[in-house]
Amino acid sequence: MADDNTVFIGKKATMNYVLAVVTQFNSGLDEVIIKARGRAISRAVDVAEIVRHRFVQDAVIKDIKIDTEILERGEEGTTANVSSIEIFLKKT
Amino acid sequence: MADDNTVFIGKKATMNYVLAVVTQFNSGLDEVIIKARGRAISRAVDVAEIVRHRFVQDAVIKDIKIDTEILERGEEGTTANVSSIEIFLKKT
């Protein structure tokens, strides 16, 4: 499953994920990866911005990657493409 | 106003913006910048992914920047923070 330093953004309120990222940094990690798919991508950017401006001010955005994932849905084997983002936050 | 090689993502259907970006490349530009704010950020990522996978296959993502913009709203001078993204697509 996910690495420990990854926070997946879902449908909860933004501050839930902000808290998750801040907790990772406070546990001693130097780098946290924020991942999201589809409509949650906007929220992922919000989370990164709030963390670095308000809570972990020595954190910088090291890298941002976007990609397309192919989701299979249902038994008919139909697929859908969904965009994804990974934001790499690093303490300097 | 905006530079000619910038496409701002709004609330229209995704393919409208895909077409706008493809048109920019076809007019001879080597680099197109896709910009969006708030919830349109997810759509901006979709646009970049569709352009480079389906229409301009020699285009690569050169850089992605995220930022926070401060919007003033109304006469009371209240402000709101909104996240923004810039995706730099470049023909190789």
Side-chain angles (χ1 to χ4, degrees):
Chain A
M1 252 305 282
D3 298 327
D4 276 351
N5 66 335
T6 301
V7 173
F8 284 96
I9 308 300
K11 297 183 177 200
K12 291 184 201 166
T14 303
M15 292 311 284
N16 287 274
Y17 304 107
V18 169
L19 182 65
V21 174
V22 171
T23 303
Q24 300 274 42
F25 277 124
N26 286 346
S27 76
L29 288 172
D30 275 346
E31 185 171 320
V32 178
I33 306 167
I34 300 167
K35 286 193 188 183
R37 289 199 297 210
R39 290 195 184 187
I41 288 174
S42 306
R43 188 171 299 125
V45 174
D46 288 341
V47 170
E49 286 294 293
I50 292 169
V51 167
R52 76 185 180 104
H53 282 126
R54 241 194 277 171
F55 293 99
V56 188
Q57 275 148 7
D58 54 348
V60 296
I61 292 157
K62 201 183 95 181
D63 198 10
I64 302 173
K65 290 180 187 164
I66 63 176
D67 205 352
T68 301
E69 297 182 12
I70 298 162
L71 299 183
E72 301 217 1
R73 33 182 187 185
E75 294 170 10
E76 314 98 49
T78 54
T79 59
N81 291 339
V82 61
S83 300
S84 64
I85 196 167
E86 289 177 293
I87 303 171
F88 297 76
L89 275 180
K90 194 176 168 65
K91 266 194 182 176
T92 50
Chain B
M1 251 306 280
D3 298 327
D4 277 350
N5 67 334
T6 302
V7 174
F8 284 97
I9 307 301
K11 296 185 177 197
K12 291 185 200 164
T14 304
M15 291 311 283
N16 287 274
Y17 304 106
V18 170
L19 182 65
V21 174
V22 172
T23 303
Q24 300 274 41
F25 277 123
N26 286 346
S27 77
L29 288 172
D30 275 346
E31 185 171 319
V32 178
I33 306 168
I34 300 167
K35 287 191 187 184
R37 289 200 296 211
R39 290 194 184 188
I41 288 175
S42 306
R43 189 170 298 125
V45 174
D46 288 340
V47 170
E49 287 293 294
I50 293 169
V51 166
R52 77 186 179 103
H53 283 123
R54 242 194 275 172
F55 294 99
V56 188
Q57 275 148 8
D58 55 347
V60 296
I61 292 157
K62 202 184 93 181
D63 198 11
I64 301 172
K65 290 179 188 164
I66 64 176
D67 204 353
T68 301
E69 296 183 12
I70 297 161
L71 299 183
E72 302 217 0
R73 34 182 186 186
E75 294 170 10
E76 312 99 50
T78 53
T79 59
N81 292 338
V82 62
S83 300
S84 64
I85 196 166
E86 289 177 293
I87 303 171
F88 297 75
L89 275 180
K90 194 176 169 65
K91 266 195 182 176
T92 50

